[in-house]
Structures are given as C-alpha cells and as structure tokens.
C-alpha cells in the first residue's frame, strides 16, 4: 500500500469566519491525488476547488514515513485531528498550530466577558493586555495571533470611546 500527502488550503473570502478559520490541513491518505485534467500527480498543484487550493506532497511506503514528511512540511507547532472523524481513505489529518484558532467575532465576545476595556486605555496598556489575554485564551484551549488579539482590543477600546 502507498501513502500520499495532500495539502488543503482555504483561499476564499472571509478566512477568519467560523467555517474557514481552522480549515487548512495536511491529509495522509491512501487515495492517489489527482489533477482534474492530468490524472495522478505525486507532487505539485492539483487545482482549486470551492476556494480550496490542493497540493500533492509525495508518495510514501509507510504511514510513519508520510507522517514524518508532514511534520517537516509544517516545521512548527501542529496538532493531529482525532482519528474517529476522518473522511474515507484519510488516515491522518494534521493542522498548523498547537491550538484551534478563534474567530474574530468569538474573540471579541470572549474579551467582553473576560476584561474591561476603558476608552482611556493607551496603546501601551493594550499591548500589555494582549499578552495576558493570549495566555488566558490558550489556557481555555484556543489560540489567537497577537495581531488578531491587538485588533480585537483596539475595537473594544474604540467602541468604548464611541459610547
């Protein structure tokens, strides 16, 4: 049996919406990747379908070899999806980042509950709060980029100024 790696990357609109925020992934599959017009393609671009770019990343003789290759492709923190909800022919799914990311709307709602932002908070205070809140969010099992956290805090401060 041969094993293949297929990368799926969302390139459509609103990438930080709920249905897209945690979409990007690498799948280890037993089904050979196919390019619509050329047939089987072991490496390279497979096309774009429904705002998703597909890439093939090689053929491997064992699941272990394919997983090592995926880890090298991710070259940073990653997580593996549970095996119980995988599509047919997919043996493993790896996603970038150690924690699932939070959407912008959910982050703002969470921050409104967790912290009081004042209209008087300056940029230095928001920077300090961003570090603290990223840590708090990670303790709850979610991830946010620093810029995303900073933007959400600025949004809440600006909203407080408008009131």
């Amino acid at each position: 049996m041969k094993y293949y790696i297929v990368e799926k990357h969302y390139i459509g609109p609103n990438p930080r919406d709920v249905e897209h925020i945690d979409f990007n992934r690498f799948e280890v599959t037993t089904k050979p990747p196919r390019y619509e017009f050329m047939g089987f393609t072991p490496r390279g671009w497979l096309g774009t379908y429904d705002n998703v770019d597909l890439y093939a990343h090689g053929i491997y003789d064992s699941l272990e070899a394919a997983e090592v290759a995926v880890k090298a492709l991710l070259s940073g923190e990653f997580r593996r999806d549970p095996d119980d909800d995988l599509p047919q022919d997919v043996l493993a799914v790896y996603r970038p980042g150690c924690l699932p990311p939070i959407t912008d709307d959910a982050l703002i709602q969470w921050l409104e509950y967790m912290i009081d932002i004042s209209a008087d908070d300056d940029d230095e205070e928001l920077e300090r709060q961003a570090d603290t809140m990223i840590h708090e969010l990670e303790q709850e099992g979610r991830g946010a980029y620093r810029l995303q956290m900073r933007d959400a805090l600025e949004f809440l401060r600006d909203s407080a100024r408008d009131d």
Side-chain angles (χ1 to χ4, degrees):
M1 177 180 295
K2 297 291 183 181
Y3 301 87
Y4 309 90
I5 298 172
V6 175
E7 177 183 0
K8 295 183 176 182
H9 186 79
Y10 180 76
I11 60 167
N14 307 316
R16 292 188 343 200
D17 280 357
V18 173
E19 63 270 18
H20 307 127
I21 188 100
D22 200 28
F23 182 87
N24 299 343
R25 63 186 176 266
F26 288 84
E27 295 180 352
V28 177
T29 179
T30 56
K31 185 177 178 182
R34 304 191 74 71
Y35 177 65
E36 186 175 344
F37 303 108
M38 304 279 291
F40 170 69
T41 305
R43 288 192 186 277
W45 185 64
L46 299 170
T48 301
Y49 307 94
D50 295 328
N51 294 320
V52 176
D53 259 351
L54 302 172
Y55 298 90
H57 289 283
I59 306 169
Y60 301 89
D61 292 326
S62 69
L63 178 59
E64 293 79 19
E67 289 178 331
V68 167
V70 167
K71 291 173 185 177
L73 288 166
L74 286 166
S75 70
E77 293 184 344
F78 62 88
R79 66 189 188 284
R80 182 175 173 171
D81 284 3
D83 292 337
D84 53 351
D85 289 333
L86 298 178
Q88 185 178 4
D89 300 321
V90 175
L91 303 176
V93 173
Y94 291 88
R95 297 182 193 269
C98 63
L99 297 171
I102 192 167
T103 65
D104 292 343
D105 291 340
L107 178 59
I108 288 170
Q109 289 175 358
W110 180 80
L111 284 170
E112 286 175 331
Y113 175 76
M114 294 295 292
I115 192 169
D116 287 325
I117 300 292
S118 166
D120 299 328
D121 288 344
D122 60 10
D123 289 342
E124 204 171 284
E125 177 64 16
L126 293 184
E127 285 294 328
R128 187 188 64 72
Q129 290 175 346
D131 290 335
T132 302
M133 298 318 296
I134 286 173
H135 177 73
E136 291 292 323
L137 186 63
E138 288 174 350
Q139 297 303 309
E140 294 188 19
R142 299 304 302 249
Y145 296 106
R146 186 164 183 36
L147 180 61
Q148 181 186 16
M149 181 65 73
R150 176 61 194 249
D151 288 348
L153 290 168
E154 285 179 3
F155 174 82
L156 291 173
R157 179 188 62 190
D158 294 344
S159 295
R161 287 179 177 168
D162 291 342
D163 289 342

Short mmCIF file of all heavy atoms in Angstrom, two decimals, residues 5-36:
data_model
loop_
_atom_site.label_atom_id
_atom_site.label_comp_id
_atom_site.label_asym_id
_atom_site.label_seq_id
_atom_site.Cartn_x
_atom_site.Cartn_y
_atom_site.Cartn_z
N ILE A 5 0.39 12.48 0.61
CA ILE A 5 0.10 13.67 1.40
C ILE A 5 -0.57 14.68 0.48
O ILE A 5 -0.06 15.00 -0.59
CB ILE A 5 1.37 14.30 1.99
CG1 ILE A 5 2.05 13.31 2.94
CG2 ILE A 5 1.05 15.60 2.72
CD1 ILE A 5 3.41 13.78 3.41
N VAL A 6 -1.72 15.18 0.94
CA VAL A 6 -2.45 16.21 0.20
C VAL A 6 -2.67 17.39 1.15
O VAL A 6 -3.20 17.23 2.25
CB VAL A 6 -3.80 15.70 -0.33
CG1 VAL A 6 -4.59 16.82 -0.99
CG2 VAL A 6 -3.60 14.55 -1.29
N GLU A 7 -2.23 18.56 0.71
CA GLU A 7 -2.43 19.78 1.48
C GLU A 7 -3.68 20.48 0.97
O GLU A 7 -3.87 20.62 -0.23
CB GLU A 7 -1.22 20.71 1.30
CG GLU A 7 -1.35 22.03 1.99
CD GLU A 7 -0.16 22.94 1.74
OE1 GLU A 7 0.79 22.53 1.03
OE2 GLU A 7 -0.19 24.07 2.24
N LYS A 8 -4.52 20.92 1.89
CA LYS A 8 -5.73 21.67 1.56
C LYS A 8 -5.63 23.02 2.24
O LYS A 8 -5.44 23.10 3.46
CB LYS A 8 -6.99 20.92 2.00
CG LYS A 8 -7.17 19.62 1.25
CD LYS A 8 -8.44 18.91 1.64
CE LYS A 8 -8.63 17.67 0.79
NZ LYS A 8 -9.89 16.98 1.11
N HIS A 9 -5.74 24.08 1.43
CA HIS A 9 -5.55 25.43 1.93
C HIS A 9 -6.69 26.31 1.44
O HIS A 9 -6.87 26.47 0.24
CB HIS A 9 -4.20 25.96 1.44
CG HIS A 9 -3.85 27.28 2.00
ND1 HIS A 9 -3.34 27.45 3.27
CD2 HIS A 9 -3.93 28.52 1.47
CE1 HIS A 9 -3.13 28.73 3.49
NE2 HIS A 9 -3.49 29.40 2.41
N TYR A 10 -7.45 26.87 2.38
CA TYR A 10 -8.57 27.74 2.02
C TYR A 10 -8.04 29.09 1.53
O TYR A 10 -7.23 29.73 2.19
CB TYR A 10 -9.49 27.95 3.22
CG TYR A 10 -10.66 28.85 2.89
CD1 TYR A 10 -11.72 28.38 2.14
CD2 TYR A 10 -10.68 30.18 3.28
CE1 TYR A 10 -12.79 29.20 1.80
CE2 TYR A 10 -11.73 31.01 2.95
CZ TYR A 10 -12.78 30.51 2.20
OH TYR A 10 -13.83 31.33 1.86
N ILE A 11 -8.50 29.52 0.34
CA ILE A 11 -8.04 30.79 -0.24
C ILE A 11 -9.18 31.74 -0.55
O ILE A 11 -8.98 32.77 -1.17
CB ILE A 11 -7.21 30.55 -1.52
CG1 ILE A 11 -8.05 29.84 -2.57
CG2 ILE A 11 -5.94 29.80 -1.21
CD1 ILE A 11 -7.45 29.84 -3.95
N GLY A 12 -10.36 31.41 -0.11
CA GLY A 12 -11.54 32.20 -0.43
C GLY A 12 -11.73 33.40 0.48
O GLY A 12 -10.87 33.74 1.29
N PRO A 13 -12.90 34.02 0.37
CA PRO A 13 -13.20 35.21 1.18
C PRO A 13 -13.42 34.84 2.65
O PRO A 13 -13.73 33.70 2.98
CB PRO A 13 -14.49 35.75 0.55
CG PRO A 13 -15.11 34.56 -0.10
CD PRO A 13 -13.98 33.68 -0.54
N ASN A 14 -13.25 35.83 3.50
CA ASN A 14 -13.52 35.70 4.94
C ASN A 14 -12.80 34.52 5.59
O ASN A 14 -13.42 33.65 6.19
CB ASN A 14 -15.03 35.59 5.18
CG ASN A 14 -15.79 36.71 4.53
OD1 ASN A 14 -15.40 37.87 4.60
ND2 ASN A 14 -16.88 36.37 3.85
N PRO A 15 -11.48 34.48 5.50
CA PRO A 15 -10.75 33.33 6.03
C PRO A 15 -10.84 33.16 7.54
O PRO A 15 -10.57 32.08 8.05
CB PRO A 15 -9.31 33.59 5.59
CG PRO A 15 -9.23 35.05 5.38
CD PRO A 15 -10.59 35.48 4.92
N ARG A 16 -11.26 34.20 8.26
CA ARG A 16 -11.35 34.08 9.72
C ARG A 16 -12.78 33.86 10.19
O ARG A 16 -13.07 33.96 11.37
CB ARG A 16 -10.70 35.28 10.39
CG ARG A 16 -9.22 35.24 10.14
CD ARG A 16 -8.30 36.18 10.81
NE ARG A 16 -8.73 37.37 11.44
CZ ARG A 16 -7.93 38.39 11.70
NH1 ARG A 16 -6.67 38.34 11.33
NH2 ARG A 16 -8.37 39.45 12.32
N ASP A 17 -13.69 33.51 9.26
CA ASP A 17 -15.06 33.13 9.65
C ASP A 17 -15.04 31.73 10.26
O ASP A 17 -14.11 30.95 10.04
CB ASP A 17 -15.99 33.14 8.44
CG ASP A 17 -16.46 34.54 8.07
OD1 ASP A 17 -16.11 35.50 8.78
OD2 ASP A 17 -17.17 34.67 7.06
N VAL A 18 -16.09 31.41 10.97
CA VAL A 18 -16.18 30.15 11.71
C VAL A 18 -15.88 28.94 10.82
O VAL A 18 -15.11 28.06 11.19
CB VAL A 18 -17.58 29.99 12.35
CG1 VAL A 18 -17.75 28.63 12.96
CG2 VAL A 18 -17.83 31.08 13.37
N GLU A 19 -16.47 28.88 9.64
CA GLU A 19 -16.31 27.68 8.80
C GLU A 19 -14.95 27.58 8.13
O GLU A 19 -14.61 26.53 7.59
CB GLU A 19 -17.44 27.58 7.76
CG GLU A 19 -17.46 28.71 6.76
CD GLU A 19 -18.31 29.90 7.19
OE1 GLU A 19 -18.64 30.05 8.37
OE2 GLU A 19 -18.64 30.71 6.30
N HIS A 20 -14.15 28.65 8.16
CA HIS A 20 -12.86 28.64 7.46
C HIS A 20 -11.65 28.75 8.38
O HIS A 20 -10.55 28.43 7.96
CB HIS A 20 -12.79 29.81 6.47
CG HIS A 20 -13.94 29.84 5.52
ND1 HIS A 20 -14.71 30.97 5.35
CD2 HIS A 20 -14.47 28.90 4.71
CE1 HIS A 20 -15.66 30.72 4.47
NE2 HIS A 20 -15.55 29.47 4.07
N ILE A 21 -11.83 29.20 9.60
CA ILE A 21 -10.70 29.56 10.46
C ILE A 21 -9.75 28.40 10.71
O ILE A 21 -8.55 28.58 10.81
CB ILE A 21 -11.20 30.17 11.80
CG1 ILE A 21 -10.03 30.73 12.61
CG2 ILE A 21 -11.93 29.16 12.65
CD1 ILE A 21 -9.88 32.18 12.50
N ASP A 22 -10.24 27.20 10.79
CA ASP A 22 -9.39 26.05 11.10
C ASP A 22 -9.41 25.04 9.94
O ASP A 22 -9.29 23.85 10.14
CB ASP A 22 -9.87 25.39 12.39
CG ASP A 22 -8.80 24.53 13.03
OD1 ASP A 22 -7.60 24.82 12.84
OD2 ASP A 22 -9.16 23.58 13.73
N PHE A 23 -9.54 25.54 8.72
CA PHE A 23 -9.70 24.65 7.57
C PHE A 23 -8.38 24.07 7.08
O PHE A 23 -8.31 22.90 6.71
CB PHE A 23 -10.37 25.40 6.41
CG PHE A 23 -10.61 24.52 5.22
CD1 PHE A 23 -11.75 23.77 5.14
CD2 PHE A 23 -9.66 24.41 4.22
CE1 PHE A 23 -11.96 22.92 4.05
CE2 PHE A 23 -9.86 23.58 3.13
CZ PHE A 23 -11.02 22.83 3.05
N ASN A 24 -7.31 24.85 7.03
CA ASN A 24 -6.05 24.43 6.42
C ASN A 24 -5.51 23.18 7.09
O ASN A 24 -5.49 23.07 8.31
CB ASN A 24 -5.02 25.55 6.48
CG ASN A 24 -5.47 26.78 5.74
OD1 ASN A 24 -6.37 26.74 4.91
ND2 ASN A 24 -4.84 27.90 6.03
N ARG A 25 -5.05 22.23 6.24
CA ARG A 25 -4.61 20.95 6.79
C ARG A 25 -3.78 20.16 5.80
O ARG A 25 -3.78 20.43 4.60
CB ARG A 25 -5.80 20.14 7.23
CG ARG A 25 -6.74 19.76 6.09
CD ARG A 25 -7.98 19.06 6.67
NE ARG A 25 -8.98 18.74 5.69
CZ ARG A 25 -10.01 19.52 5.39
NH1 ARG A 25 -10.16 20.68 5.98
NH2 ARG A 25 -10.91 19.14 4.51
N PHE A 26 -3.09 19.16 6.33
CA PHE A 26 -2.39 18.16 5.54
C PHE A 26 -3.05 16.81 5.84
O PHE A 26 -3.22 16.46 7.01
CB PHE A 26 -0.90 18.08 5.93
CG PHE A 26 -0.10 19.26 5.48
CD1 PHE A 26 -0.06 20.42 6.23
CD2 PHE A 26 0.61 19.21 4.30
CE1 PHE A 26 0.68 21.51 5.81
CE2 PHE A 26 1.36 20.30 3.88
CZ PHE A 26 1.39 21.44 4.64
N GLU A 27 -3.42 16.11 4.79
CA GLU A 27 -4.04 14.80 4.96
C GLU A 27 -3.11 13.72 4.46
O GLU A 27 -2.52 13.84 3.38
CB GLU A 27 -5.35 14.72 4.17
CG GLU A 27 -6.41 15.67 4.67
CD GLU A 27 -7.71 15.59 3.88
OE1 GLU A 27 -7.76 14.90 2.84
OE2 GLU A 27 -8.68 16.22 4.32
N VAL A 28 -2.97 12.65 5.25
CA VAL A 28 -2.27 11.45 4.81
C VAL A 28 -3.36 10.49 4.36
O VAL A 28 -4.25 10.13 5.14
CB VAL A 28 -1.42 10.84 5.93
CG1 VAL A 28 -0.76 9.56 5.45
CG2 VAL A 28 -0.38 11.84 6.42
N THR A 29 -3.29 10.10 3.09
CA THR A 29 -4.38 9.31 2.51
C THR A 29 -3.83 8.13 1.71
O THR A 29 -2.66 8.10 1.33
CB THR A 29 -5.26 10.22 1.60
OG1 THR A 29 -6.28 9.43 1.02
CG2 THR A 29 -4.45 10.88 0.52
N THR A 30 -4.69 7.16 1.47
CA THR A 30 -4.33 6.02 0.62
C THR A 30 -4.83 6.23 -0.80
O THR A 30 -4.55 5.41 -1.67
CB THR A 30 -4.93 4.72 1.19
OG1 THR A 30 -6.34 4.88 1.32
CG2 THR A 30 -4.31 4.38 2.54
N LYS A 31 -5.56 7.30 -1.02
CA LYS A 31 -6.10 7.59 -2.35
C LYS A 31 -5.12 8.49 -3.11
O LYS A 31 -4.79 9.57 -2.63
CB LYS A 31 -7.45 8.29 -2.21
CG LYS A 31 -8.16 8.54 -3.50
CD LYS A 31 -9.52 9.17 -3.26
CE LYS A 31 -10.21 9.46 -4.57
NZ LYS A 31 -11.50 10.12 -4.34
N PRO A 32 -4.65 8.07 -4.28
CA PRO A 32 -3.70 8.90 -5.04
C PRO A 32 -4.30 10.25 -5.41
O PRO A 32 -5.45 10.33 -5.86
CB PRO A 32 -3.43 8.07 -6.30
CG PRO A 32 -3.84 6.69 -5.97
CD PRO A 32 -4.94 6.81 -4.96
N PRO A 33 -3.54 11.32 -5.21
CA PRO A 33 -4.06 12.65 -5.57
C PRO A 33 -4.17 12.80 -7.08
O PRO A 33 -3.32 12.31 -7.83
CB PRO A 33 -3.01 13.61 -4.99
CG PRO A 33 -1.80 12.80 -4.77
CD PRO A 33 -2.22 11.38 -4.63
N ARG A 34 -5.21 13.47 -7.53
CA ARG A 34 -5.45 13.60 -8.95
C ARG A 34 -5.64 15.07 -9.32
O ARG A 34 -6.32 15.81 -8.64
CB ARG A 34 -6.69 12.83 -9.35
CG ARG A 34 -6.62 11.36 -8.96
CD ARG A 34 -7.71 10.56 -9.57
NE ARG A 34 -7.57 10.28 -10.98
CZ ARG A 34 -6.68 9.46 -11.53
NH1 ARG A 34 -5.81 8.87 -10.78
NH2 ARG A 34 -6.68 9.24 -12.82
N TYR A 35 -5.00 15.43 -10.42
CA TYR A 35 -5.22 16.74 -11.01
C TYR A 35 -6.32 16.55 -12.04
O TYR A 35 -6.29 15.60 -12.82
CB TYR A 35 -3.93 17.25 -11.66
CG TYR A 35 -4.07 18.58 -12.36
CD1 TYR A 35 -4.36 19.73 -11.63
CD2 TYR A 35 -3.93 18.68 -13.73
CE1 TYR A 35 -4.49 20.95 -12.26
CE2 TYR A 35 -4.06 19.91 -14.37
CZ TYR A 35 -4.34 21.04 -13.63
OH TYR A 35 -4.47 22.24 -14.26
N GLU A 36 -7.30 17.41 -12.04
CA GLU A 36 -8.51 17.23 -12.84
C GLU A 36 -8.22 16.90 -14.30
O GLU A 36 -8.86 16.03 -14.89
CB GLU A 36 -9.38 18.47 -12.74
CG GLU A 36 -10.71 18.31 -13.43
CD GLU A 36 -11.61 19.51 -13.22
OE1 GLU A 36 -11.35 20.32 -12.32
OE2 GLU A 36 -12.57 19.62 -13.98
#
